[in-house]
Amino acid sequence: MPSASCDSLLDDIEDIVSQEDLKPQDRHFSRKHVVPKVRKRNTQKYLQDENSPPSNSTIPGIQKIWMRTWGCSHNNSDGEYMAGQLAAYGYEITENASDADLWLLNSCTVKNPAEDHFRNSIKKAQEENKKIVLAGCVPQAQPRQDYLKGLSIIGVQQIDRVVEVVEETIKGHSVRLLGQKKNNGKRLGGAPLDLPKIRKNPLIEIISINTGCLNACTYCKTKHARGNLASYPIDELVDRAKQSFQEGVCEIWLTSEDTGAYGRDIGTNLPALLWKLVEVIPRGAMLRLGMTNPPYILEHLEEMAKILNHPRVYAFLHIPVQSASDSVLTEMRREYCVADFKRVVDFLKEKVPGITLATDIICGFPGETDQDFQETVKLVEEYKFPSLFINQFYPRPGTPAAKMAQIPAQVKKQRTKDLSRVFHSYNPYDHKIGERQQVLVTEESFDSKFYVAHNRFYEQEFRNRLGNHPSSVSHTSAVGRDFASSRMALCLQNLRRDRALRVSVGLALLALLLAFFCQNL
């Protein structure tokens, strides 16, 4: 083979390039003079497709979501948090179920009817070929039920991951997040409190101060879902309250499965939290306490009375008794006797004049005799509770009470009717007729004809928006007529804001049209 080309060695690879060859920088410069050929396309169609993705698109963040929540204020707060996160990510929260691509169903497991509605909604969503995500206490407590198979579930302590679950569900996957929030092995209260939120009522903030409870009531299914007590730290709750007031809220509800047990797992208590919260409540705003069971308020009666007398705290407390029979309470494992309940009620009525005390009654619990029921009737007649929640007993699957000998359905229904008749036989507000009180307006009635307000004792009034005489509902007060509070005026202003904006825009357009016609006459 000829070897002439190998006779001279090259010192460097760059020696191969002659002076006539293009240098690398010359090649880079020449690229600027290359003009790409553009392929023509239908611009109008492209823009239309870009702005309106197909309905079956799996691109996350563009679908419409319809939400339905059943149950307590804790569940409603969870629903507001989930809606806020989804909207922040780009999903549209719609009021029209038929237009939605996905249904998010937030369930309640307290009574059979609530779960029946939940089950029927799932069936309807499947018939309409909707994507489905399930939340709340029903799937958390019993995720293996047949009618939940193949469906995505977001657990009660995992609501901060609702966007992930919705994304995967839209892609056609089934996702289940049912774990507990823990820090160094210790169970936490739940998802962070600073998540985005869409409030059902923009003037009311619902804050869950803890999840779960310390009891083991034989009839309760919620315990299976929410578990043992886990409280949020005081500073996180105070920060959430401050944030809510900055966002225009004028009323805060504290909620949980048992507010009275707050803090026992983290070395504090409910009065300590409440004293910190009242420090940040602005003038004209109010705080409402949630339900507390008798055992956990007994040791704090003095402090609770002081707090309930605070001008920015409603003199209102919900204390469930469930039955006035000690034998029935024992079967329920309620951990108190009727005398304990009466001690709480008598003390608060004495130390907090005018206080509104609400309670719950279960009619027809297994083993309840006629004599047991009559004891409950006597309790209601004695105290004439202005707010009474009467519930027929429903055996919930997996609870000890479901295995007990049941009372006939007809007997349970009759006892429920009898107690309701007693409740409607008295009017606890007759002595207040003609009084003038300051109230806080937080909403409009469903027909938009009335403002709904509460006085300091959380007694409710409907005041006609046109200024006519107020209308009252059964066992609610019609006494408040003073709208002088500046904070309340702000609340009214917020209620009217959207309507006023629409009217202003309409008037402006009308003025422009009139000016145009006058100029051309």
Side-chain angles (χ1 to χ4, degrees), residues 321-323 359-363 376 380 388-391 419:
V321 65
Q322 305 301 5
S323 174
T359 195
D360 299 355
I361 302 289
I362 295 176
C363 294
T376 301
V380 174
L388 182 62
F389 301 93
I390 303 170
N391 301 289
L419 193 58

Side-chain angles (χ1 to χ4, degrees), residues 90-318:
Y91 292 103
E92 179 182 343
I93 308 300
T94 179
E95 297 290 331
N96 192 332
S98 60
D99 286 348
D101 302 294
L102 180 143
W103 287 14
L104 177 50
L105 305 175
N106 189 19
S107 62
C108 171
T109 192
V110 173
K111 293 189 289 188
N112 292 7
E115 183 170 354
D116 291 341
H117 288 305
F118 174 62
R119 185 188 296 107
N120 292 337
S121 295
I122 293 174
K123 183 178 179 181
K124 185 176 181 181
Q126 292 170 331
E127 291 172 350
E128 297 185 17
N129 295 318
K130 304 292 185 182
K131 302 288 186 180
I132 305 171
V133 171
L134 308 177
C137 292
V138 171
Q140 179 75 51
Q142 286 186 298
R144 293 184 177 86
Q145 293 189 83
D146 288 341
Y147 72 93
L148 304 180
K149 287 183 178 178
L151 300 177
S152 292
I153 296 174
I154 179 78
V156 294
Q157 283 212 322
Q158 300 291 331
I159 60 172
D160 56 328
R161 301 180 64 184
V162 65
V163 172
E164 300 173 48
V165 177
V166 167
E167 278 187 4
E168 293 302 317
T169 303
I170 286 172
K171 295 175 184 177
H173 304 149
S174 176
V175 183
R176 296 193 168 198
L177 298 180
L178 295 167
Q180 304 292 325
K181 297 285 186 188
K182 293 184 179 181
N183 183 17
N184 295 325
K186 184 176 178 60
R187 188 165 177 262
L188 301 177
L193 293 172
D194 58 354
L195 296 170
K197 199 173 195 182
I198 297 179
R199 299 180 182 93
K200 185 177 180 181
N201 184 332
L203 303 180
I204 297 177
E205 167 70 2
I206 306 172
I207 302 179
S208 302
I209 62 175
N210 57 266
T211 189
C213 69
L214 295 173
N215 295 340
C217 299
T218 56
Y219 57 82
C220 183
K221 187 70 175 176
T222 305
K223 176 78 171 187
H224 298 186
R226 298 285 182 177
N228 292 322
L229 179 69
S231 305
Y232 285 98
I234 289 179
D235 57 343
E236 292 182 17
L237 294 166
V238 172
D239 288 343
R240 181 65 198 183
K242 288 180 180 178
Q243 177 185 342
S244 302
F245 289 127
Q246 291 170 357
E247 294 170 355
V249 162
C250 60
E251 185 171 294
I252 282 184
W253 296 358
L254 300 185
T255 186
S256 76
E257 283 64 57
D258 187 351
T259 59
Y262 169 79
R264 286 172 173 258
D265 58 317
I266 57 174
T268 186
N269 56 55
L270 181 61
L273 168 64
L274 295 176
W275 285 124
K276 289 293 184 180
L277 284 173
V278 296
E279 293 177 3
V280 302
I281 302 174
R283 182 180 179 183
M286 295 296 288
L287 175 71
R288 193 195 80 173
L289 275 67
M291 184 272 290
T292 175
N293 283 310
Y296 306 112
I297 193 176
L298 272 169
E299 62 188 75
H300 301 303
L301 282 178
E302 291 282 355
E303 285 299 298
M304 290 301 299
K306 293 177 184 177
I307 292 166
L308 291 169
N309 275 308
H310 192 283
R312 296 177 190 176
V313 178
Y314 284 118
F316 167 87
L317 200 59
H318 179 191

Side-chain angles (χ1 to χ4, degrees), residues 25-36:
Q25 60 267 29
D26 298 327
R27 294 191 183 95
H28 178 75
F29 176 78
S30 65
R31 290 178 184 173
K32 298 180 181 180
H33 301 283
V34 177
V35 180

Side-chain angles (χ1 to χ4, degrees), residues 63-79:
Q63 289 76 17
K64 295 181 180 180
I65 297 176
W66 178 72
M67 289 189 61
R68 174 75 189 276
T69 294
W70 293 267
C72 64
S73 54
H74 192 166
N75 228 31
N76 277 275
S77 178
D78 287 352

